[in-house]
Amino acid sequence: MGLGDAETVLARKNANFVIDEAAAEAGLVRSIAAPGPFGMRRHEAAGGRLTLTPAVLWFSAHPFNFVRPTFGIPLDSIAELHDTSQNISRQMQVVLQDGQRLTFVIWGVRAFIERIDQARAAL
């Protein structure tokens, strides 16, 4: 099932996907290592949109990003959702059944987690 399918959209949020080494190893992006003035950077982020449907949480990167990850997370593969916000950075961490952790920077973290939990309960 893809983003083009006529599936019901429950919620949409602008979001940044934090690309760390684990996301690169999982194959969501090609590489995150990029030279910087002080050596290699360890984290990047791709701006885009999170779309919640009754079965899948989709991330689709905006086309102007250097890396453009687009992927879906089946709701039944989500083990936990956490509000990992710190200071002014609002973050949601999605923990999958296999232990993989994906981090998104979004506003309204708690309300969005509630929407995802409602969709998961309806499965």
Side-chain angles (χ1 to χ4, degrees):
M1 194 173 311
L3 282 172
D5 294 342
E7 189 169 8
T8 304
V9 172
L10 302 176
R12 283 194 176 111
K13 292 289 270 183
N14 290 326
N16 290 322
F17 171 54
V18 178
I19 303 168
D20 56 12
E21 292 170 4
E25 289 172 8
L28 297 175
V29 292
R30 287 176 301 177
S31 174
I32 62 162
F38 303 106
M40 301 302 273
R41 294 184 302 208
R42 304 298 266 174
H43 298 283
E44 292 289 333
R49 182 178 295 264
L50 276 172
T51 302
L52 176 62
T53 68
V56 180
L57 178 64
W58 292 98
F59 177 79
S60 179
H62 296 303
F64 54 80
N65 288 293
F66 179 69
V67 292
R68 296 178 193 97
T70 298
F71 55 89
I73 305 167
L75 297 184
D76 58 3
S77 72
I78 296 174
E80 301 171 12
L81 295 162
H82 300 286
D83 181 348
T84 56
S85 300
Q86 297 177 353
N87 300 320
I88 62 169
S89 177
R90 301 288 155 228
Q91 296 183 3
M92 174 181 71
Q93 188 173 77
V94 179
V95 181
L96 304 180
Q97 299 288 347
D98 64 4
Q100 183 180 0
R101 296 174 181 271
L102 305 174
T103 302
F104 299 93
V105 178
I106 63 170
W107 288 103
V109 174
R110 291 183 185 170
F112 200 63
I113 287 175
E114 287 176 17
R115 297 290 304 265
I116 295 169
D117 284 337
Q118 291 169 356
R120 290 172 60 205
L123 288 176

